[in-house]
Amino acid sequence: MSGETATGGGSTETLDRARALFWRYRVPLGLVLVVLLLRPVISHPLLLGYEAVAATILIWMVFVAAFNLLFGYAGLLSFGHAMFLGFGMYAAAIGVSGRAGAPELPFPVAAAIGIGVAATVGYLLGRLTVEKGEIYFAFLTLAVAQAVEFTANRNPLNLTGGSNGVTQNVLPSWIESTRGQLVVVFGGLEVDWYWFVSVVFLVAMLALWQIVRSPFGRSLIAIRENGDLARAMGIDTTRYKVQAFTISAAFSALAGSVLMVDRYGASQETLSVITSGDTVLMAVLGGVRYFFGPIAGVFVWQFAEEFLNEFEVLHLGFASVDLSGVLTHWHFFLGALFVVIVVVAPLEGIWGYLRDWMRGLYGRLKGVAE
Amino acid sequence: MSTTELTREDLATVSPAWWAAAVLTIVLLAVTFAVEPGLFIDQAIGGLVYGMVLVLVTLGLSLILGLMGIVNFAHGAFFMLGAYLSYSVVVTLGLPFWAALILAPLIVGVVGVVLEITVLRYLYGSDPIVSLLATFGLTMMIEEVIRAYWGTAPLEISRPAVLTRGTDLGVTTVPTYRLFLVGVAVVTIVAVYLLISRTDFGLTVRAGVQDGEMTEFVGVNLPVRFTAMFFLGAALAGFAGVLYSAETGMRTTMGETFVILAFVVVVVGGIGSLFGSVVSGILIGVSAYLTPVVLTALAEVTNQPWLALQIRDLVPYLVMILILLYRPRGLFGEEGFLE
C-alpha cells in the first residue's frame, strides 16, 4: 500500500511499475511489517498488555516456517520436528555453559554445531524415510523424536541434565539480563533483545522465501502435487525431499538456538511430542499452502495461549468468573477449531480464509470505485 | 489382511544374516538365563505383559487403519480414556474391577462411535494425512476432557483379591495379575482374529474395503459395519487401558506414549497385517524388557560395567530403525499399502 501512495500522482506507467515492484516484494515487506507491528500490537492494553512474548513469537514463526517448508511445500508431514528445535537448543546451551567437561564455546559456534547436528540427522533420517510414504514418514519422525527425548532424559555423559534440562550459565557473555529483560551488548552498543531476534527472523525468513521461490522450491511443489509426474519430468524426487528435510532441520535448529537464550536454557519439554504436535497444529491452523500461513498460525496460537491464560488470572475484569474456568481448557476449543478446519479445508487455514476475504473486499471496493 | 501364504514363503527365503542374528540372540538369552534365571523369567513375563498390552492397542489401530484407511491418532486417547473410566467405575462408583473391565471399554466404544459419526465419516477416501490431522485434534480434545475431569495427578485402582497374590514358577514368583492379563489378552486377540477372518461380518467388511460399491449392491449396509468396526477398535483400546492401568496406574501421558508405540508396532509388523502386529507387539515388548537384563548379564560375564545400559524405553525405536534398514516393509507388510 505504502509503495503505491509514495509514487502516486506520477504517470500510470510508473504507478504500474511501482505496483509490480510492490507485488514482487510483498513478502519481504510483509515480514518487515510483522517485525514492526508485532510488539506494539500485542503490548496494547486491550490485548496482552506486555511485550515479553513478542520475541518468543518471532522465534516460533521461524521454526514453524521451517517446518512448513517440509509439510506445506514438499508435502512431508514430520510429526517429530521438536527434536530439531531441541538439537539447536541443547547444543547452544551445552556449548555456552560448557557443562560436564564440554568445551566452553562462543554462542555462534555452539549454535552452528547444533545446526550441523540437526542437518546431519535430518539428512540421514531423510535418506531412511522420505520414500516410505506420507504416513510412514509421519510415524517414523514421531518415533525418532520420542527416542531423542528419551535419550535426553537419560542424561548421557551428564550433558543434557535429564528432566531438569540445561539452565545454568547458559547466557552468552554479550547478553545481559536485567529484571527479566534481555539486552544484547555489542561493545558500547546496547540493543534490545527483540531487535536482535528481529534480525535473525528477517534473515532466516528471507532465506526461506528465497528457497521457496527458487527453482528448488518450485520443484518441491511439483513433487508434492504429483510425485510420479515430477519424476517423469526428470526431478530426482528422493534427493529433493532429502534436501528439503535437511534445510528444514537446519532452520529449525537455528530457531532452537535463539529460543535457548530467550527461555534461559534448554528444557526437556521442548523435545516432547507435545511440542511437535503444537508445531503441526500451528502450521495447519495458519494455512500450510501459504508462506504467511505459519506466521498467522503461530501468532494466533501463541497469542491465544498467553491471552487465555492471563484471562484466568485477571478474571475480575469485564468477564464473569465462570468464563475463566472454561478458558483454562482452551486446548479443548482449539482442538475443536482444528478439527473443523481440517475437515472443511485442511490446506487453507486462517491465512487462506483471510486471503479470500481480502480478495472479496478488494473486488467489491474496486467495483464501487468504478 | 494377513496372508499366511506370504509368511511361509518369507520364512523359506530367510537370508543367512537373519539366521546368524537369530543364533546370536539365542546364545545371548541362554547366557543371561544362566547368569540370572530369576530376573530373566521375571523380566520376560514383564515384557510379555507389556507386549500383550501393545498388541491389544495396536490391534484396534491396525483394524481401523487396514480396513478403513483412517490413521487414528486418537487411539492413544481411547486407551487413556478406558484407563481413567475404570478409575471412575471402581473408585467413584464402588463397583468391582470386573465391572470396569466390561463397562469402560463399552463407554470408550460409544465415544468412538460418536466421533466416527460426527467427524471421521467425512474423511473416508480422503488423504490419510487428513485423517491423521483430524484425529490429532480429537486427541487434544479428549485429553483436555480427561485433564479437566480427573485432574493431572497419577491415579491408581486396587485389583481384585484373587489377582493380587503371586504364582510360584520355580525360579521366581510372578504376580498372578500378570498371568491373568496375558491370558485375557490372548483370548481377546484370537477372538478378534476369528471375527475378522472367519465370520460373515468380517467377510463383508473386508469385501467393503475391496469394493464398497459392489458390496452395497449385494445388500450389505456398509456404513453401519464400518461404525461397528470403529466401535470394536475403540473398545479394544479402552480394554487395553483398563488392563494396563490396573497394573501401573493412570497418568495423563500414557495416551501419547502408547499411540506412538502402537505406530512403532504397526511399522515393525508391517502395515495392513494383523498377524504382523501381534508378532511385532510381543517382540517389541519382550525385547524392551529383556535387553537391559541381557546387557547386565553381559557386563557381568565380560567384566565391562559400562555395558549395563538401562535402555528399556529406547529399545522399541532401535528395533524399528533396524527393521526399517533391513526390511523396510515391516516383518509381514503387504507391498504397496499406504506407500
Side-chain angles (χ1 to χ4, degrees):
Chain A
M1 291 297 265
S2 57
E4 288 171 49
T5 43
T7 47
S11 65
T12 44
E13 199 184 317
T14 36
L15 193 68
D16 281 348
R17 203 179 296 155
R19 195 176 286 162
L21 214 61
F22 163 75
W23 195 242
R24 190 172 172 199
Y25 290 104
R26 67 192 187 284
V27 169
L29 284 173
L31 291 173
V32 171
L33 221 59
V34 167
V35 165
L36 292 179
L37 288 182
L38 181 65
R39 196 153 71 154
V41 165
I42 65 160
S43 58
H44 191 276
L46 270 182
L47 298 173
L48 280 183
Y50 56 92
E51 53 186 41
V53 287
T56 317
I57 293 181
L58 283 185
I59 300 169
W60 269 98
M61 284 174 178
V62 174
F63 174 52
V64 179
F67 163 80
N68 199 44
L69 175 71
L70 198 58
F71 183 32
Y73 288 90
L76 290 168
L77 172 58
S78 156
F79 238 106
H81 236 57
M83 67 177 148
F84 299 117
L85 189 74
F87 287 140
M89 220 173 177
Y90 271 94
I94 293 169
V96 170
S97 67
R99 59 178 279 134
E104 234 173 277
L105 299 168
F107 177 75
V109 177
I113 291 175
I115 293 169
V117 169
T120 312
V121 173
Y123 176 77
L124 294 175
L125 194 59
R127 285 291 294 269
L128 193 62
T129 56
V130 290
E131 282 304 313
K132 295 266 188 289
E134 299 178 306
I135 291 298
Y136 260 110
F137 185 78
F139 291 172
L140 294 174
T141 44
L142 185 65
V144 172
Q146 184 86 338
V148 169
E149 191 195 349
F150 279 137
T151 312
N153 190 24
R154 282 265 173 263
N155 196 6
L157 305 173
N158 201 17
L159 277 177
T160 57
S163 57
N164 297 325
V166 184
T167 48
Q168 299 289 316
N169 312 317
V170 288
L171 288 191
S173 55
W174 42 274
I175 286 181
E176 280 172 14
S177 166
T178 45
R179 292 194 301 274
Q181 292 275 40
L182 290 167
V183 180
V184 181
V185 186
F186 284 121
L189 200 68
E190 285 199 1
V191 186
D192 199 83
W193 173 241
Y194 180 79
W195 296 119
F196 179 81
V197 174
S198 299
V199 171
V200 176
F201 170 83
L202 285 176
V203 170
M205 291 304 263
L206 285 176
L208 281 173
W209 180 59
Q210 284 291 4
I211 291 169
V212 164
R213 68 183 193 138
S214 69
F216 174 76
R218 299 289 134 184
S219 307
L220 288 184
I221 295 177
I223 294 168
R224 177 195 74 195
E225 289 301 323
N226 191 337
D228 293 333
L229 188 57
R231 208 172 299 124
M233 277 159 42
I235 298 173
D236 186 346
T237 52
T238 310
R239 208 169 111 200
Y240 274 72
K241 283 178 185 171
V242 170
Q243 284 171 354
F245 199 9
T246 313
I247 294 170
S248 172
F251 275 96
S252 303
L254 171 71
S257 61
V258 183
L259 190 65
M260 188 282 286
V261 178
D262 192 74
R263 294 266 181 89
Y264 297 89
S267 65
Q268 203 210 329
E269 287 151 38
T270 321
L271 286 174
S272 73
V273 188
I274 297 171
T275 313
S276 299
D278 286 355
T279 314
V280 179
L281 284 168
M282 285 189 248
V284 174
L285 202 66
V288 294
R289 277 288 184 271
Y290 308 102
F291 190 77
F292 273 92
I295 292 176
V298 171
F299 179 76
V300 169
W301 175 279
Q302 298 278 346
F303 182 79
E305 188 165 17
E306 294 288 330
F307 188 70
L308 298 180
N309 278 343
E310 278 302 292
F311 223 80
E312 187 199 357
V313 183
L314 301 171
H315 59 73
L316 290 176
F318 54 87
S320 66
V321 181
D322 293 325
L323 202 57
S324 70
V326 177
L327 285 179
T328 326
H329 304 294
W330 63 281
H331 264 106
F332 181 84
F333 301 103
L334 214 60
L337 174 68
F338 183 75
V339 171
V340 170
I341 286 181
V342 169
V343 172
V344 174
L347 303 169
E348 294 298 314
I350 293 171
W351 190 255
Y353 192 75
L354 217 64
R355 240 171 92 116
D356 279 356
W357 183 74
M358 298 254 273
R359 279 235 174 99
L361 195 73
Y362 180 72
R364 216 174 299 157
L365 283 178
K366 216 173 167 188
V368 170
E370 282 165 8
Chain B
M1 298 254 56
S2 78
T3 44
T4 34
E5 289 80 7
L6 190 75
T7 316
R8 288 198 199 109
E9 209 173 89
D10 285 346
L11 284 179
T13 56
V14 173
S15 70
W18 283 88
W19 282 115
V23 169
L24 185 69
T25 314
I26 291 168
V27 168
L28 281 177
L29 291 179
V31 167
T32 314
F33 185 73
V35 176
E36 302 245 25
L39 187 67
F40 183 82
I41 294 292
D42 217 33
Q43 293 295 308
I45 293 199
L48 196 61
V49 166
Y50 192 62
M52 282 301 173
V53 173
L54 281 180
V55 172
L56 280 181
V57 177
T58 312
L59 212 55
L61 188 81
S62 205
L63 279 179
I64 294 169
L65 178 65
L67 293 179
M68 290 135 88
I70 294 278
V71 184
N72 185 18
F73 201 94
H75 208 69
F78 289 155
F79 173 76
M80 186 156 82
L81 192 63
Y84 275 89
L85 280 170
S86 76
Y87 177 83
S88 283
V89 171
V90 172
V91 177
T92 317
L93 297 178
L95 294 172
F97 173 74
W98 311 106
L101 212 48
I102 294 166
L103 278 178
L106 283 181
I107 302 172
V108 175
V110 171
V111 171
V113 167
V114 169
L115 294 184
E116 198 265 351
I117 290 172
T118 51
V119 179
L120 294 172
R121 183 163 282 188
Y122 303 101
L123 301 177
Y124 292 146
S126 65
D127 195 339
I129 284 288
V130 174
S131 65
L132 177 62
L133 290 173
T135 49
F136 183 66
L138 293 175
T139 307
M140 242 172 94
M141 294 168 73
I142 298 174
E143 287 190 346
E144 196 58 51
V145 167
I146 289 175
R147 273 196 290 272
Y149 187 76
W150 284 282
T152 49
L155 302 173
E156 262 181 32
I157 56 170
S158 53
R159 281 165 267 166
V162 194
L163 300 176
T164 45
R165 282 184 238 110
T167 303
D168 196 12
L169 287 182
V171 279
T172 181
T173 310
V174 184
T176 313
Y177 182 76
R178 296 191 163 183
L179 299 178
F180 164 77
L181 194 156
V182 173
V184 169
V186 169
V187 171
T188 314
I189 292 162
V190 171
V192 171
Y193 189 77
L194 291 179
L195 177 74
I196 299 300
S197 60
R198 293 278 187 274
T199 62
D200 271 4
F201 173 79
L203 184 72
T204 45
V205 169
R206 279 183 293 148
V209 174
Q210 293 284 327
D211 189 339
E213 204 176 19
M214 197 62 218
T215 314
E216 290 196 309
F217 269 150
V218 297
V220 175
N221 189 346
L222 215 48
V224 167
R225 272 153 213 261
F226 273 8
T227 310
M229 284 308 295
F230 209 84
F231 174 86
L232 181 68
L236 274 173
F239 188 62
V242 180
L243 282 176
Y244 182 70
S245 63
E247 165 98 4
T248 59
M250 301 88 183
R251 255 153 269 273
T252 47
T253 51
M254 62 194 285
E256 76 197 35
T257 311
F258 269 83
V259 76
I260 297 169
L261 284 172
F263 282 149
V264 169
V265 171
V266 169
V267 168
V268 170
I271 293 188
S273 164
L274 278 189
F275 181 68
S277 297
V278 174
V279 172
S280 83
I282 294 171
L283 174 79
I284 286 176
V286 172
S287 60
Y289 273 65
L290 281 187
T291 307
V293 188
V294 169
L295 287 175
T296 314
L298 263 189
E300 217 168 287
V301 170
T302 57
N303 222 354
Q304 304 279 339
W306 59 268
L307 262 175
L309 298 165
Q310 292 303 317
I311 53 166
R312 183 194 290 177
D313 298 338
L314 269 177
V315 169
Y317 309 105
L318 296 178
V319 171
M320 182 192 74
I321 290 170
L322 269 181
I323 290 286
L324 279 177
L325 283 172
Y326 293 106
R327 203 179 155 76
R329 208 187 299 152
L331 290 174
F332 302 99
E334 286 168 28
E335 196 169 356
F337 195 87
L338 280 182
E339 274 175 15

